[in-house]
Amino acid sequence: MRVLGTFIGFGISITATMSWAADLSIVHTDADWNDGKGYDPIYPFYGTFDGLGHVVDGLCINRPDESYNGLFGALFDNARVSNVGVANIYYNVMGYAGSLVGYAFDSSQISNTFSSGLIYTQLETGYISSHAQYGEMSNSFSF
């Protein structure tokens, strides 16, 4: 868990061009991680993220009173996320949830992504992103 926290941050705003060098496997430790809330999504994200074809496996978010959940809580100002997968996720959240992106604002782009797992939500959800406002999503799928 410390690797994920150090690598991409917890609950912080990021403006950057980033990429990953390896797959990341996470053991579900939601009872111990962030007082039972699990992963704290990157919110907001401005910039470019290239996963280089790698996968985040086993991400857990348990925030039933919070919205904008996913690996990235929200993308802004033409942010780009590409070439990454999230597998075997478990999210229990309020809404605006996507396995990869909670909400993509301002012409943000999501491409070459995939997801698998479960999302329990009270409001709007999508398995890659709940919304893509004026944005573009291409070559992305969920199973």
Side-chain angles (χ1 to χ4, degrees), residues 109-137:
Q109 298 175 20
I110 301 168
S111 62
N112 303 321
T113 64
F114 75 88
S115 70
S116 70
L118 299 172
I119 299 177
Y120 296 99
T121 182
Q122 300 172 33
L123 300 170
E124 299 174 41
T125 190
Y127 269 93
I128 296 293
S129 176
S130 70
H131 289 83
Q133 182 184 44
Y134 307 112
E136 180 180 313
M137 190 180 311

mmCIF file with all atom_site columns, all heavy atoms in Angstrom, residues 109-137:
data_model
loop_
_atom_site.group_PDB
_atom_site.id
_atom_site.type_symbol
_atom_site.label_atom_id
_atom_site.label_alt_id
_atom_site.label_comp_id
_atom_site.label_asym_id
_atom_site.label_entity_id
_atom_site.label_seq_id
_atom_site.pdbx_PDB_ins_code
_atom_site.Cartn_x
_atom_site.Cartn_y
_atom_site.Cartn_z
_atom_site.occupancy
_atom_site.B_iso_or_equiv
_atom_site.pdbx_formal_charge
_atom_site.auth_seq_id
_atom_site.auth_comp_id
_atom_site.auth_asym_id
_atom_site.auth_atom_id
_atom_site.pdbx_PDB_model_num
ATOM 1   N N   . GLN A 1 109 ? -9.662  13.109 -21.994 1.00 0.00 ? 109 GLN A N   1
ATOM 2   C CA  . GLN A 1 109 ? -9.632  11.948 -22.881 1.00 0.00 ? 109 GLN A CA  1
ATOM 3   C C   . GLN A 1 109 ? -9.201  10.694 -22.123 1.00 0.00 ? 109 GLN A C   1
ATOM 4   O O   . GLN A 1 109 ? -8.253  10.737 -21.341 1.00 0.00 ? 109 GLN A O   1
ATOM 5   C CB  . GLN A 1 109 ? -8.673  12.199 -24.036 1.00 0.00 ? 109 GLN A CB  1
ATOM 6   C CG  . GLN A 1 109 ? -9.080  13.368 -24.889 1.00 0.00 ? 109 GLN A CG  1
ATOM 7   C CD  . GLN A 1 109 ? -8.052  13.668 -25.964 1.00 0.00 ? 109 GLN A CD  1
ATOM 8   O OE1 . GLN A 1 109 ? -7.243  12.836 -26.324 1.00 0.00 ? 109 GLN A OE1 1
ATOM 9   N NE2 . GLN A 1 109 ? -8.101  14.866 -26.488 1.00 0.00 ? 109 GLN A NE2 1
ATOM 10  N N   . ILE A 1 110 ? -9.904  9.610  -22.406 1.00 0.00 ? 110 ILE A N   1
ATOM 11  C CA  . ILE A 1 110 ? -9.592  8.299  -21.837 1.00 0.00 ? 110 ILE A CA  1
ATOM 12  C C   . ILE A 1 110 ? -9.450  7.342  -23.009 1.00 0.00 ? 110 ILE A C   1
ATOM 13  O O   . ILE A 1 110 ? -10.363 7.231  -23.831 1.00 0.00 ? 110 ILE A O   1
ATOM 14  C CB  . ILE A 1 110 ? -10.719 7.822  -20.905 1.00 0.00 ? 110 ILE A CB  1
ATOM 15  C CG1 . ILE A 1 110 ? -10.928 8.825  -19.760 1.00 0.00 ? 110 ILE A CG1 1
ATOM 16  C CG2 . ILE A 1 110 ? -10.425 6.432  -20.366 1.00 0.00 ? 110 ILE A CG2 1
ATOM 17  C CD1 . ILE A 1 110 ? -12.203 8.588  -18.973 1.00 0.00 ? 110 ILE A CD1 1
ATOM 18  N N   . SER A 1 111 ? -8.318  6.639  -23.092 1.00 0.00 ? 111 SER A N   1
ATOM 19  C CA  . SER A 1 111 ? -8.135  5.739  -24.231 1.00 0.00 ? 111 SER A CA  1
ATOM 20  C C   . SER A 1 111 ? -7.320  4.512  -23.836 1.00 0.00 ? 111 SER A C   1
ATOM 21  O O   . SER A 1 111 ? -6.483  4.563  -22.939 1.00 0.00 ? 111 SER A O   1
ATOM 22  C CB  . SER A 1 111 ? -7.447  6.471  -25.386 1.00 0.00 ? 111 SER A CB  1
ATOM 23  O OG  . SER A 1 111 ? -6.160  6.905  -25.016 1.00 0.00 ? 111 SER A OG  1
ATOM 24  N N   . ASN A 1 112 ? -7.628  3.418  -24.535 1.00 0.00 ? 112 ASN A N   1
ATOM 25  C CA  . ASN A 1 112 ? -6.901  2.157  -24.364 1.00 0.00 ? 112 ASN A CA  1
ATOM 26  C C   . ASN A 1 112 ? -6.889  1.704  -22.904 1.00 0.00 ? 112 ASN A C   1
ATOM 27  O O   . ASN A 1 112 ? -5.834  1.470  -22.314 1.00 0.00 ? 112 ASN A O   1
ATOM 28  C CB  . ASN A 1 112 ? -5.462  2.276  -24.899 1.00 0.00 ? 112 ASN A CB  1
ATOM 29  C CG  . ASN A 1 112 ? -5.437  2.690  -26.344 1.00 0.00 ? 112 ASN A CG  1
ATOM 30  O OD1 . ASN A 1 112 ? -6.251  2.245  -27.148 1.00 0.00 ? 112 ASN A OD1 1
ATOM 31  N ND2 . ASN A 1 112 ? -4.524  3.578  -26.681 1.00 0.00 ? 112 ASN A ND2 1
ATOM 32  N N   . THR A 1 113 ? -8.084  1.596  -22.319 1.00 0.00 ? 113 THR A N   1
ATOM 33  C CA  . THR A 1 113 ? -8.207  1.213  -20.919 1.00 0.00 ? 113 THR A CA  1
ATOM 34  C C   . THR A 1 113 ? -9.179  0.042  -20.786 1.00 0.00 ? 113 THR A C   1
ATOM 35  O O   . THR A 1 113 ? -9.984  -0.228 -21.676 1.00 0.00 ? 113 THR A O   1
ATOM 36  C CB  . THR A 1 113 ? -8.718  2.379  -20.060 1.00 0.00 ? 113 THR A CB  1
ATOM 37  O OG1 . THR A 1 113 ? -10.048 2.728  -20.483 1.00 0.00 ? 113 THR A OG1 1
ATOM 38  C CG2 . THR A 1 113 ? -7.810  3.598  -20.178 1.00 0.00 ? 113 THR A CG2 1
ATOM 39  N N   . PHE A 1 114 ? -9.114  -0.636 -19.646 1.00 0.00 ? 114 PHE A N   1
ATOM 40  C CA  . PHE A 1 114 ? -10.087 -1.692 -19.352 1.00 0.00 ? 114 PHE A CA  1
ATOM 41  C C   . PHE A 1 114 ? -10.292 -1.789 -17.858 1.00 0.00 ? 114 PHE A C   1
ATOM 42  O O   . PHE A 1 114 ? -9.495  -1.280 -17.063 1.00 0.00 ? 114 PHE A O   1
ATOM 43  C CB  . PHE A 1 114 ? -9.657  -3.039 -19.932 1.00 0.00 ? 114 PHE A CB  1
ATOM 44  C CG  . PHE A 1 114 ? -8.558  -3.716 -19.171 1.00 0.00 ? 114 PHE A CG  1
ATOM 45  C CD1 . PHE A 1 114 ? -8.851  -4.556 -18.105 1.00 0.00 ? 114 PHE A CD1 1
ATOM 46  C CD2 . PHE A 1 114 ? -7.242  -3.508 -19.520 1.00 0.00 ? 114 PHE A CD2 1
ATOM 47  C CE1 . PHE A 1 114 ? -7.837  -5.179 -17.395 1.00 0.00 ? 114 PHE A CE1 1
ATOM 48  C CE2 . PHE A 1 114 ? -6.220  -4.126 -18.818 1.00 0.00 ? 114 PHE A CE2 1
ATOM 49  C CZ  . PHE A 1 114 ? -6.518  -4.961 -17.755 1.00 0.00 ? 114 PHE A CZ  1
ATOM 50  N N   . SER A 1 115 ? -11.393 -2.453 -17.474 1.00 0.00 ? 115 SER A N   1
ATOM 51  C CA  . SER A 1 115 ? -11.674 -2.650 -16.058 1.00 0.00 ? 115 SER A CA  1
ATOM 52  C C   . SER A 1 115 ? -12.476 -3.926 -15.845 1.00 0.00 ? 115 SER A C   1
ATOM 53  O O   . SER A 1 115 ? -13.153 -4.415 -16.745 1.00 0.00 ? 115 SER A O   1
ATOM 54  C CB  . SER A 1 115 ? -12.453 -1.462 -15.495 1.00 0.00 ? 115 SER A CB  1
ATOM 55  O OG  . SER A 1 115 ? -13.768 -1.438 -16.010 1.00 0.00 ? 115 SER A OG  1
ATOM 56  N N   . SER A 1 116 ? -12.373 -4.442 -14.618 1.00 0.00 ? 116 SER A N   1
ATOM 57  C CA  . SER A 1 116 ? -13.217 -5.552 -14.179 1.00 0.00 ? 116 SER A CA  1
ATOM 58  C C   . SER A 1 116 ? -13.411 -5.437 -12.680 1.00 0.00 ? 116 SER A C   1
ATOM 59  O O   . SER A 1 116 ? -12.566 -4.880 -11.976 1.00 0.00 ? 116 SER A O   1
ATOM 60  C CB  . SER A 1 116 ? -12.575 -6.903 -14.523 1.00 0.00 ? 116 SER A CB  1
ATOM 61  O OG  . SER A 1 116 ? -11.433 -7.140 -13.718 1.00 0.00 ? 116 SER A OG  1
ATOM 62  N N   . GLY A 1 117 ? -14.539 -5.921 -12.207 1.00 0.00 ? 117 GLY A N   1
ATOM 63  C CA  . GLY A 1 117 ? -14.802 -5.906 -10.775 1.00 0.00 ? 117 GLY A CA  1
ATOM 64  C C   . GLY A 1 117 ? -16.205 -5.433 -10.466 1.00 0.00 ? 117 GLY A C   1
ATOM 65  O O   . GLY A 1 117 ? -17.080 -5.439 -11.333 1.00 0.00 ? 117 GLY A O   1
ATOM 66  N N   . LEU A 1 118 ? -16.416 -4.990 -9.219  1.00 0.00 ? 118 LEU A N   1
ATOM 67  C CA  . LEU A 1 118 ? -17.740 -4.606 -8.735  1.00 0.00 ? 118 LEU A CA  1
ATOM 68  C C   . LEU A 1 118 ? -17.751 -3.174 -8.238  1.00 0.00 ? 118 LEU A C   1
ATOM 69  O O   . LEU A 1 118 ? -16.841 -2.751 -7.529  1.00 0.00 ? 118 LEU A O   1
ATOM 70  C CB  . LEU A 1 118 ? -18.163 -5.523 -7.582  1.00 0.00 ? 118 LEU A CB  1
ATOM 71  C CG  . LEU A 1 118 ? -18.279 -7.004 -7.905  1.00 0.00 ? 118 LEU A CG  1
ATOM 72  C CD1 . LEU A 1 118 ? -18.512 -7.798 -6.633  1.00 0.00 ? 118 LEU A CD1 1
ATOM 73  C CD2 . LEU A 1 118 ? -19.406 -7.233 -8.888  1.00 0.00 ? 118 LEU A CD2 1
ATOM 74  N N   . ILE A 1 119 ? -18.823 -2.445 -8.599  1.00 0.00 ? 119 ILE A N   1
ATOM 75  C CA  . ILE A 1 119 ? -19.055 -1.106 -8.077  1.00 0.00 ? 119 ILE A CA  1
ATOM 76  C C   . ILE A 1 119 ? -20.472 -1.066 -7.518  1.00 0.00 ? 119 ILE A C   1
ATOM 77  O O   . ILE A 1 119 ? -21.431 -1.311 -8.240  1.00 0.00 ? 119 ILE A O   1
ATOM 78  C CB  . ILE A 1 119 ? -18.915 -0.018 -9.163  1.00 0.00 ? 119 ILE A CB  1
ATOM 79  C CG1 . ILE A 1 119 ? -17.512 -0.007 -9.745  1.00 0.00 ? 119 ILE A CG1 1
ATOM 80  C CG2 . ILE A 1 119 ? -19.254 1.353  -8.574  1.00 0.00 ? 119 ILE A CG2 1
ATOM 81  C CD1 . ILE A 1 119 ? -17.319 0.995  -10.880 1.00 0.00 ? 119 ILE A CD1 1
ATOM 82  N N   . TYR A 1 120 ? -20.585 -0.777 -6.224  1.00 0.00 ? 120 TYR A N   1
ATOM 83  C CA  . TYR A 1 120 ? -21.880 -0.579 -5.576  1.00 0.00 ? 120 TYR A CA  1
ATOM 84  C C   . TYR A 1 120 ? -22.020 0.914  -5.335  1.00 0.00 ? 120 TYR A C   1
ATOM 85  O O   . TYR A 1 120 ? -21.162 1.534  -4.716  1.00 0.00 ? 120 TYR A O   1
ATOM 86  C CB  . TYR A 1 120 ? -21.954 -1.330 -4.246  1.00 0.00 ? 120 TYR A CB  1
ATOM 87  C CG  . TYR A 1 120 ? -21.859 -2.818 -4.414  1.00 0.00 ? 120 TYR A CG  1
ATOM 88  C CD1 . TYR A 1 120 ? -20.656 -3.472 -4.203  1.00 0.00 ? 120 TYR A CD1 1
ATOM 89  C CD2 . TYR A 1 120 ? -22.968 -3.565 -4.797  1.00 0.00 ? 120 TYR A CD2 1
ATOM 90  C CE1 . TYR A 1 120 ? -20.561 -4.847 -4.364  1.00 0.00 ? 120 TYR A CE1 1
ATOM 91  C CE2 . TYR A 1 120 ? -22.876 -4.934 -4.966  1.00 0.00 ? 120 TYR A CE2 1
ATOM 92  C CZ  . TYR A 1 120 ? -21.672 -5.561 -4.746  1.00 0.00 ? 120 TYR A CZ  1
ATOM 93  O OH  . TYR A 1 120 ? -21.583 -6.914 -4.911  1.00 0.00 ? 120 TYR A OH  1
ATOM 94  N N   . THR A 1 121 ? -23.125 1.512  -5.849  1.00 0.00 ? 121 THR A N   1
ATOM 95  C CA  . THR A 1 121 ? -23.293 2.953  -5.754  1.00 0.00 ? 121 THR A CA  1
ATOM 96  C C   . THR A 1 121 ? -24.763 3.312  -5.632  1.00 0.00 ? 121 THR A C   1
ATOM 97  O O   . THR A 1 121 ? -25.633 2.553  -6.045  1.00 0.00 ? 121 THR A O   1
ATOM 98  C CB  . THR A 1 121 ? -22.671 3.649  -6.987  1.00 0.00 ? 121 THR A CB  1
ATOM 99  O OG1 . THR A 1 121 ? -22.816 5.051  -6.839  1.00 0.00 ? 121 THR A OG1 1
ATOM 100 C CG2 . THR A 1 121 ? -23.312 3.208  -8.269  1.00 0.00 ? 121 THR A CG2 1
ATOM 101 N N   . GLN A 1 122 ? -25.035 4.495  -5.065  1.00 0.00 ? 122 GLN A N   1
ATOM 102 C CA  . GLN A 1 122 ? -26.399 4.990  -4.934  1.00 0.00 ? 122 GLN A CA  1
ATOM 103 C C   . GLN A 1 122 ? -26.790 5.872  -6.111  1.00 0.00 ? 122 GLN A C   1
ATOM 104 O O   . GLN A 1 122 ? -27.958 6.100  -6.361  1.00 0.00 ? 122 GLN A O   1
ATOM 105 C CB  . GLN A 1 122 ? -26.526 5.795  -3.641  1.00 0.00 ? 122 GLN A CB  1
ATOM 106 C CG  . GLN A 1 122 ? -26.218 4.985  -2.401  1.00 0.00 ? 122 GLN A CG  1
ATOM 107 C CD  . GLN A 1 122 ? -26.156 5.864  -1.170  1.00 0.00 ? 122 GLN A CD  1
ATOM 108 O OE1 . GLN A 1 122 ? -26.879 6.854  -1.066  1.00 0.00 ? 122 GLN A OE1 1
ATOM 109 N NE2 . GLN A 1 122 ? -25.293 5.514  -0.242  1.00 0.00 ? 122 GLN A NE2 1
ATOM 110 N N   . LEU A 1 123 ? -25.808 6.422  -6.800  1.00 0.00 ? 123 LEU A N   1
ATOM 111 C CA  . LEU A 1 123 ? -26.059 7.344  -7.903  1.00 0.00 ? 123 LEU A CA  1
ATOM 112 C C   . LEU A 1 123 ? -25.362 6.859  -9.167  1.00 0.00 ? 123 LEU A C   1
ATOM 113 O O   . LEU A 1 123 ? -24.997 5.700  -9.268  1.00 0.00 ? 123 LEU A O   1
ATOM 114 C CB  . LEU A 1 123 ? -25.572 8.751  -7.532  1.00 0.00 ? 123 LEU A CB  1
ATOM 115 C CG  . LEU A 1 123 ? -26.223 9.369  -6.306  1.00 0.00 ? 123 LEU A CG  1
ATOM 116 C CD1 . LEU A 1 123 ? -25.503 10.643 -5.906  1.00 0.00 ? 123 LEU A CD1 1
ATOM 117 C CD2 . LEU A 1 123 ? -27.697 9.638  -6.536  1.00 0.00 ? 123 LEU A CD2 1
ATOM 118 N N   . GLU A 1 124 ? -25.102 7.748  -10.071 1.00 0.00 ? 124 GLU A N   1
ATOM 119 C CA  . GLU A 1 124 ? -24.588 7.414  -11.390 1.00 0.00 ? 124 GLU A CA  1
ATOM 120 C C   . GLU A 1 124 ? -23.205 6.755  -11.346 1.00 0.00 ? 124 GLU A C   1
ATOM 121 O O   . GLU A 1 124 ? -22.348 7.150  -10.584 1.00 0.00 ? 124 GLU A O   1
ATOM 122 C CB  . GLU A 1 124 ? -24.528 8.678  -12.233 1.00 0.00 ? 124 GLU A CB  1
ATOM 123 C CG  . GLU A 1 124 ? -25.908 9.290  -12.407 1.00 0.00 ? 124 GLU A CG  1
ATOM 124 C CD  . GLU A 1 124 ? -25.869 10.609 -13.117 1.00 0.00 ? 124 GLU A CD  1
ATOM 125 O OE1 . GLU A 1 124 ? -25.123 10.744 -14.077 1.00 0.00 ? 124 GLU A OE1 1
ATOM 126 O OE2 . GLU A 1 124 ? -26.612 11.497 -12.694 1.00 0.00 ? 124 GLU A OE2 1
ATOM 127 N N   . THR A 1 125 ? -23.069 5.753  -12.206 1.00 0.00 ? 125 THR A N   1
ATOM 128 C CA  . THR A 1 125 ? -21.800 5.050  -12.300 1.00 0.00 ? 125 THR A CA  1
ATOM 129 C C   . THR A 1 125 ? -21.578 4.595  -13.733 1.00 0.00 ? 125 THR A C   1
ATOM 130 O O   . THR A 1 125 ? -22.507 4.514  -14.516 1.00 0.00 ? 125 THR A O   1
ATOM 131 C CB  . THR A 1 125 ? -21.756 3.846  -11.337 1.00 0.00 ? 125 THR A CB  1
ATOM 132 O OG1 . THR A 1 125 ? -20.441 3.330  -11.288 1.00 0.00 ? 125 THR A OG1 1
ATOM 133 C CG2 . THR A 1 125 ? -22.705 2.749  -11.783 1.00 0.00 ? 125 THR A CG2 1
ATOM 134 N N   . GLY A 1 126 ? -20.358 4.305  -14.028 1.00 0.00 ? 126 GLY A N   1
ATOM 135 C CA  . GLY A 1 126 ? -19.991 3.728  -15.309 1.00 0.00 ? 126 GLY A CA  1
ATOM 136 C C   . GLY A 1 126 ? -18.748 2.901  -15.073 1.00 0.00 ? 126 GLY A C   1
ATOM 137 O O   . GLY A 1 126 ? -17.956 3.204  -14.186 1.00 0.00 ? 126 GLY A O   1
ATOM 138 N N   . TYR A 1 127 ? -18.571 1.873  -15.843 1.00 0.00 ? 127 TYR A N   1
ATOM 139 C CA  . TYR A 1 127 ? -17.452 1.000  -15.504 1.00 0.00 ? 127 TYR A CA  1
ATOM 140 C C   . TYR A 1 127 ? -16.089 1.519  -15.934 1.00 0.00 ? 127 TYR A C   1
ATOM 141 O O   . TYR A 1 127 ? -15.084 1.067  -15.409 1.00 0.00 ? 127 TYR A O   1
ATOM 142 C CB  . TYR A 1 127 ? -17.716 -0.426 -15.971 1.00 0.00 ? 127 TYR A CB  1
ATOM 143 C CG  . TYR A 1 127 ? -18.382 -1.180 -14.862 1.00 0.00 ? 127 TYR A CG  1
ATOM 144 C CD1 . TYR A 1 127 ? -19.757 -1.250 -14.778 1.00 0.00 ? 127 TYR A CD1 1
ATOM 145 C CD2 . TYR A 1 127 ? -17.631 -1.739 -13.844 1.00 0.00 ? 127 TYR A CD2 1
ATOM 146 C CE1 . TYR A 1 127 ? -20.373 -1.887 -13.727 1.00 0.00 ? 127 TYR A CE1 1
ATOM 147 C CE2 . TYR A 1 127 ? -18.232 -2.381 -12.792 1.00 0.00 ? 127 TYR A CE2 1
ATOM 148 C CZ  . TYR A 1 127 ? -19.607 -2.457 -12.730 1.00 0.00 ? 127 TYR A CZ  1
ATOM 149 O OH  . TYR A 1 127 ? -20.207 -3.071 -11.677 1.00 0.00 ? 127 TYR A OH  1
ATOM 150 N N   . ILE A 1 128 ? -15.993 2.500  -16.784 1.00 0.00 ? 128 ILE A N   1
ATOM 151 C CA  . ILE A 1 128 ? -14.720 3.181  -17.036 1.00 0.00 ? 128 ILE A CA  1
ATOM 152 C C   . ILE A 1 128 ? -14.795 4.560  -16.383 1.00 0.00 ? 128 ILE A C   1
ATOM 153 O O   . ILE A 1 128 ? -13.952 4.919  -15.580 1.00 0.00 ? 128 ILE A O   1
ATOM 154 C CB  . ILE A 1 128 ? -14.411 3.312  -18.545 1.00 0.00 ? 128 ILE A CB  1
ATOM 155 C CG1 . ILE A 1 128 ? -14.242 1.937  -19.185 1.00 0.00 ? 128 ILE A CG1 1
ATOM 156 C CG2 . ILE A 1 128 ? -13.164 4.171  -18.763 1.00 0.00 ? 128 ILE A CG2 1
ATOM 157 C CD1 . ILE A 1 128 ? -13.033 1.140  -18.725 1.00 0.00 ? 128 ILE A CD1 1
ATOM 158 N N   . SER A 1 129 ? -15.834 5.342  -16.709 1.00 0.00 ? 129 SER A N   1
ATOM 159 C CA  . SER A 1 129 ? -16.071 6.652  -16.114 1.00 0.00 ? 129 SER A CA  1
ATOM 160 C C   . SER A 1 129 ? -17.575 6.879  -16.041 1.00 0.00 ? 129 SER A C   1
ATOM 161 O O   . SER A 1 129 ? -18.310 6.468  -16.932 1.00 0.00 ? 129 SER A O   1
ATOM 162 C CB  . SER A 1 129 ? -15.423 7.744  -16.968 1.00 0.00 ? 129 SER A CB  1
ATOM 163 O OG  . SER A 1 129 ? -15.719 9.025  -16.458 1.00 0.00 ? 129 SER A OG  1
ATOM 164 N N   . SER A 1 130 ? -18.028 7.555  -14.982 1.00 0.00 ? 130 SER A N   1
ATOM 165 C CA  . SER A 1 130 ? -19.467 7.811  -14.885 1.00 0.00 ? 130 SER A CA  1
ATOM 166 C C   . SER A 1 130 ? -19.922 8.806  -15.949 1.00 0.00 ? 130 SER A C   1
ATOM 167 O O   . SER A 1 130 ? -21.033 8.699  -16.446 1.00 0.00 ? 130 SER A O   1
ATOM 168 C CB  . SER A 1 130 ? -19.836 8.328  -13.492 1.00 0.00 ? 130 SER A CB  1
ATOM 169 O OG  . SER A 1 130 ? -19.339 9.628  -13.285 1.00 0.00 ? 130 SER A OG  1
ATOM 170 N N   . HIS A 1 131 ? -19.091 9.756  -16.293 1.00 0.00 ? 131 HIS A N   1
ATOM 171 C CA  . HIS A 1 131 ? -19.397 10.761 -17.318 1.00 0.00 ? 131 HIS A CA  1
ATOM 172 C C   . HIS A 1 131 ? -18.116 11.170 -18.031 1.00 0.00 ? 131 HIS A C   1
ATOM 173 O O   . HIS A 1 131 ? -17.039 11.131 -17.448 1.00 0.00 ? 131 HIS A O   1
ATOM 174 C CB  . HIS A 1 131 ? -19.986 12.035 -16.693 1.00 0.00 ? 131 HIS A CB  1
ATOM 175 C CG  . HIS A 1 131 ? -21.362 11.864 -16.181 1.00 0.00 ? 131 HIS A CG  1
ATOM 176 N ND1 . HIS A 1 131 ? -21.633 11.330 -14.938 1.00 0.00 ? 131 HIS A ND1 1
ATOM 177 C CD2 . HIS A 1 131 ? -22.560 12.161 -16.722 1.00 0.00 ? 131 HIS A CD2 1
ATOM 178 C CE1 . HIS A 1 131 ? -22.936 11.309 -14.743 1.00 0.00 ? 131 HIS A CE1 1
ATOM 179 N NE2 . HIS A 1 131 ? -23.525 11.808 -15.810 1.00 0.00 ? 131 HIS A NE2 1
ATOM 180 N N   . ALA A 1 132 ? -18.279 11.623 -19.255 1.00 0.00 ? 132 ALA A N   1
ATOM 181 C CA  . ALA A 1 132 ? -17.177 12.227 -20.002 1.00 0.00 ? 132 ALA A CA  1
ATOM 182 C C   . ALA A 1 132 ? -17.735 13.496 -20.640 1.00 0.00 ? 132 ALA A C   1
ATOM 183 O O   . ALA A 1 132 ? -18.255 13.480 -21.744 1.00 0.00 ? 132 ALA A O   1
ATOM 184 C CB  . ALA A 1 132 ? -16.632 11.272 -21.058 1.00 0.00 ? 132 ALA A CB  1
ATOM 185 N N   . GLN A 1 133 ? -17.666 14.602 -19.908 1.00 0.00 ? 133 GLN A N   1
ATOM 186 C CA  . GLN A 1 133 ? -18.256 15.860 -20.340 1.00 0.00 ? 133 GLN A CA  1
ATOM 187 C C   . GLN A 1 133 ? -17.435 16.491 -21.459 1.00 0.00 ? 133 GLN A C   1
ATOM 188 O O   . GLN A 1 133 ? -16.310 16.933 -21.236 1.00 0.00 ? 133 GLN A O   1
ATOM 189 C CB  . GLN A 1 133 ? -18.339 16.803 -19.145 1.00 0.00 ? 133 GLN A CB  1
ATOM 190 C CG  . GLN A 1 133 ? -18.985 18.119 -19.465 1.00 0.00 ? 133 GLN A CG  1
ATOM 191 C CD  . GLN A 1 133 ? -18.945 19.046 -18.259 1.00 0.00 ? 133 GLN A CD  1
ATOM 192 O OE1 . GLN A 1 133 ? -17.927 19.153 -17.587 1.00 0.00 ? 133 GLN A OE1 1
ATOM 193 N NE2 . GLN A 1 133 ? -20.056 19.689 -17.985 1.00 0.00 ? 133 GLN A NE2 1
ATOM 194 N N   . TYR A 1 134 ? -17.996 16.507 -22.656 1.00 0.00 ? 134 TYR A N   1
ATOM 195 C CA  . TYR A 1 134 ? -17.347 17.040 -23.856 1.00 0.00 ? 134 TYR A CA  1
ATOM 196 C C   . TYR A 1 134 ? -16.026 16.332 -24.153 1.00 0.00 ? 134 TYR A C   1
ATOM 197 O O   . TYR A 1 134 ? -15.203 16.841 -24.882 1.00 0.00 ? 134 TYR A O   1
ATOM 198 C CB  . TYR A 1 134 ? -17.110 18.550 -23.748 1.00 0.00 ? 134 TYR A CB  1
ATOM 199 C CG  . TYR A 1 134 ? -18.353 19.314 -23.409 1.00 0.00 ? 134 TYR A CG  1
ATOM 200 C CD1 . TYR A 1 134 ? -18.477 19.937 -22.172 1.00 0.00 ? 134 TYR A CD1 1
ATOM 201 C CD2 . TYR A 1 134 ? -19.404 19.395 -24.304 1.00 0.00 ? 134 TYR A CD2 1
ATOM 202 C CE1 . TYR A 1 134 ? -19.623 20.629 -21.847 1.00 0.00 ? 134 TYR A CE1 1
ATOM 203 C CE2 . TYR A 1 134 ? -20.554 20.081 -23.981 1.00 0.00 ? 134 TYR A CE2 1
ATOM 204 C CZ  . TYR A 1 134 ? -20.661 20.693 -22.753 1.00 0.00 ? 134 TYR A CZ  1
ATOM 205 O OH  . TYR A 1 134 ? -21.794 21.369 -22.420 1.00 0.00 ? 134 TYR A OH  1
ATOM 206 N N   . GLY A 1 135 ? -15.827 15.179 -23.559 1.00 0.00 ? 135 GLY A N   1
ATOM 207 C CA  . GLY A 1 135 ? -14.576 14.476 -23.733 1.00 0.00 ? 135 GLY A CA  1
ATOM 208 C C   . GLY A 1 135 ? -14.689 13.336 -24.714 1.00 0.00 ? 135 GLY A C   1
ATOM 209 O O   . GLY A 1 135 ? -15.681 13.174 -25.420 1.00 0.00 ? 135 GLY A O   1
ATOM 210 N N   . GLU A 1 136 ? -13.668 12.524 -24.706 1.00 0.00 ? 136 GLU A N   1
ATOM 211 C CA  . GLU A 1 136 ? -13.595 11.403 -25.638 1.00 0.00 ? 136 GLU A CA  1
ATOM 212 C C   . GLU A 1 136 ? -13.126 10.159 -24.890 1.00 0.00 ? 136 GLU A C   1
ATOM 213 O O   . GLU A 1 136 ? -12.199 10.216 -24.089 1.00 0.00 ? 136 GLU A O   1
ATOM 214 C CB  . GLU A 1 136 ? -12.598 11.752 -26.730 1.00 0.00 ? 136 GLU A CB  1
ATOM 215 C CG  . GLU A 1 136 ? -12.440 10.665 -27.772 1.00 0.00 ? 136 GLU A CG  1
ATOM 216 C CD  . GLU A 1 136 ? -11.431 11.085 -28.835 1.00 0.00 ? 136 GLU A CD  1
ATOM 217 O OE1 . GLU A 1 136 ? -11.519 12.222 -29.327 1.00 0.00 ? 136 GLU A OE1 1
ATOM 218 O OE2 . GLU A 1 136 ? -10.576 10.263 -29.155 1.00 0.00 ? 136 GLU A OE2 1
ATOM 219 N N   . MET A 1 137 ? -13.803 9.053  -25.177 1.00 0.00 ? 137 MET A N   1
ATOM 220 C CA  . MET A 1 137 ? -13.388 7.764  -24.659 1.00 0.00 ? 137 MET A CA  1
ATOM 221 C C   . MET A 1 137 ? -13.261 6.824  -25.834 1.00 0.00 ? 137 MET A C   1
ATOM 222 O O   . MET A 1 137 ? -14.178 6.699  -26.645 1.00 0.00 ? 137 MET A O   1
ATOM 223 C CB  . MET A 1 137 ? -14.410 7.227  -23.661 1.00 0.00 ? 137 MET A CB  1
ATOM 224 C CG  . MET A 1 137 ? -13.923 6.007  -22.912 1.00 0.00 ? 137 MET A CG  1
ATOM 225 S SD  . MET A 1 137 ? -15.097 5.331  -21.711 1.00 0.00 ? 137 MET A SD  1
ATOM 226 C CE  . MET A 1 137 ? -15.580 6.764  -20.793 1.00 0.00 ? 137 MET A CE  1
#
